[in-house]
Amino acid sequence: MDFDMVAAALRRDTADVATYARVLTGTLADALPPGCVSVEYERSLGDRLRGREGDPRRVVVRLGERTLSLTAGTGRPVAEIHHEVRGVVLSRDQVTLDVWVRALAEELVTQADADARAAEALRRLVAGG
């Protein structure tokens, strides 16, 4: 799988946390090990009364020793990459969205190299569906 193609596909229409939440829990669900993506929602009173999830506030992807988080902020999302070993955060770096996307693409390509289902999910992402 071509790293640059995956990164370009992740950049498409991904200016907000809600879009990344949909991509990571929908299109890429088969590419990622179970439980490695979590989405935190912000629910208004109206959302609670109607039984809706609310708006995605934060997306966290845990792959190996890296944790990538994207949090809704004013304007563009706040992107962070954490290096963790056995649950202990050794480093926490706030990065640009482009650096975050490249790190996510790198992790996804690594995952696809080890798993045929992941490779197929990435092919669907790159193809736009």
Side-chain angles (χ1 to χ4, degrees):
M1 182 65 45
D2 181 16
F3 167 79
D4 291 322
M5 290 176 65
V6 172
L10 287 169
R11 281 188 198 95
R12 268 194 320 245
D13 302 322
T14 48
D16 63 20
V17 173
T19 302
Y20 274 110
R22 283 191 300 277
V23 168
L24 291 168
T25 60
T27 307
L28 294 177
D30 289 337
L32 302 168
C36 74
V37 176
S38 62
V39 180
E40 298 171 12
Y41 295 90
E42 188 173 296
R43 294 176 68 196
S44 67
L45 179 58
D47 291 331
R48 285 192 211 81
L49 292 174
R50 290 179 182 84
R52 294 186 297 219
E53 290 180 324
D55 296 322
R57 174 80 177 132
R58 185 170 191 242
V59 176
V60 178
V61 182
R62 288 181 174 81
L63 293 167
E65 293 182 343
R66 276 175 133 175
T67 299
L68 296 94
S69 68
L70 194 62
T71 306
T74 55
R76 297 189 60 83
V78 176
E80 290 186 334
I81 299 175
H82 307 168
H83 179 78
E84 295 183 25
V85 175
R86 291 187 284 270
V88 176
V89 176
L90 300 178
S91 68
R92 178 184 312 254
D93 298 311
Q94 189 169 337
V95 297
T96 65
L97 189 56
D98 190 53
V99 170
W100 190 87
V101 166
R102 290 186 66 78
L104 178 60
E106 180 182 296
E107 294 294 338
L108 292 173
V109 168
T110 299
Q111 189 72 30
D113 287 344
D115 184 336
R117 281 185 2 182
E120 179 56 33
L122 285 182
R123 278 192 277 285
R124 286 193 313 268
L125 173 71
V126 169

